[in-house]
Amino acid sequence: MNNDCLFCAIAAGTIPSVKVYETDAVLAFLDISPVEKGHTLVISKRAHSETILDTPPDIASELLAAAKTVAAGMMAAGFGGVNLVQNNFKDGGQAVPHIHFHVIPRAKDRHGPLVWASGSNPYADDAERNVYAERIRAGIEAAQAPLPS
Ligand SMILES: [Zn+2]
């Protein structure tokens, strides 16, 4: 991990985040500048790499599997759709040079392609942010639960 990296610090817990999903390998937390409410970032806790190009395949696989878990949770939580976005390099719109997947839930009335405008849908307050975090956490739990027999 990298001492000068914001997302390494978030992965280590030295900088707080609103977590929605965590394993030994990955952390998913709410973006502080959401494109849509519920906008979640998935990062590795195991390694620092900057873009998809320098990320080992096993780490990339863990990130994509976690992004899928979060996306499934969002759909179980009643959102209408979900977008996965992964930006690389400054010219590709990457804001933090530690690889991350964006998992962006879409409300049922938000038809059409994603409009990427960082921070365009801020939370009214911490309470609203926590409502979205809890909704996504509950959805992930529901999506992972075994089917009743
Ligand atoms: Zn890092």
Side-chain angles (χ1 to χ4, degrees), residues 53-146:
L53 299 190
D54 67 330
T55 298
D58 60 325
I59 300 287
S61 295
E62 288 173 353
L63 290 174
L64 189 55
K68 178 179 172 177
T69 296
V70 173
M74 288 171 176
M75 294 309 291
F79 288 94
V82 60
N83 297 100
L84 288 191
V85 179
Q86 199 276 309
N87 300 323
N88 297 284
F89 303 102
K90 235 174 214 164
D91 286 346
Q94 185 174 11
V96 177
H98 176 128
I99 186 172
H100 52 285
F101 278 83
H102 299 262
V103 189
I104 302 165
R106 307 298 296 281
K108 286 203 162 147
D109 57 352
R110 299 280 255 200
H111 304 295
L114 181 70
V115 175
W116 188 270
S118 186
S120 56
N121 281 291
Y123 300 102
D125 50 29
D126 286 352
E128 188 189 38
R129 176 183 295 110
N130 289 336
V131 165
Y132 273 84
E134 187 46 47
R135 181 179 170 190
I136 294 167
R137 279 186 218 116
I140 291 169
E141 207 165 293
Q144 292 184 321

Side-chain angles (χ1 to χ4, degrees), residues 27-41:
L27 172 65
F29 60 100
L30 294 185
D31 193 307
I32 59 167
S33 299
V35 169
E36 298 279 349
K37 288 174 185 177
H39 181 168
T40 295
L41 303 180

Side-chain angles (χ1 to χ4, degrees), residues 5 9 36 43 46 52 56 73 98 118 147:
C5 172
E36 298 279 349
I43 62 174
R46 295 206 301 132
I52 193 71
H98 176 128
S118 186
L147 295 171

Side-chain angles (χ1 to χ4, degrees), residues 1-2 4-9 44 47-49 96-99:
M1 304 304 268
N2 180 331
D4 298 323
C5 172
L6 172 64
F7 283 0
C8 282
S44 177
H48 171 90
S49 57
V96 177
H98 176 128
I99 186 172

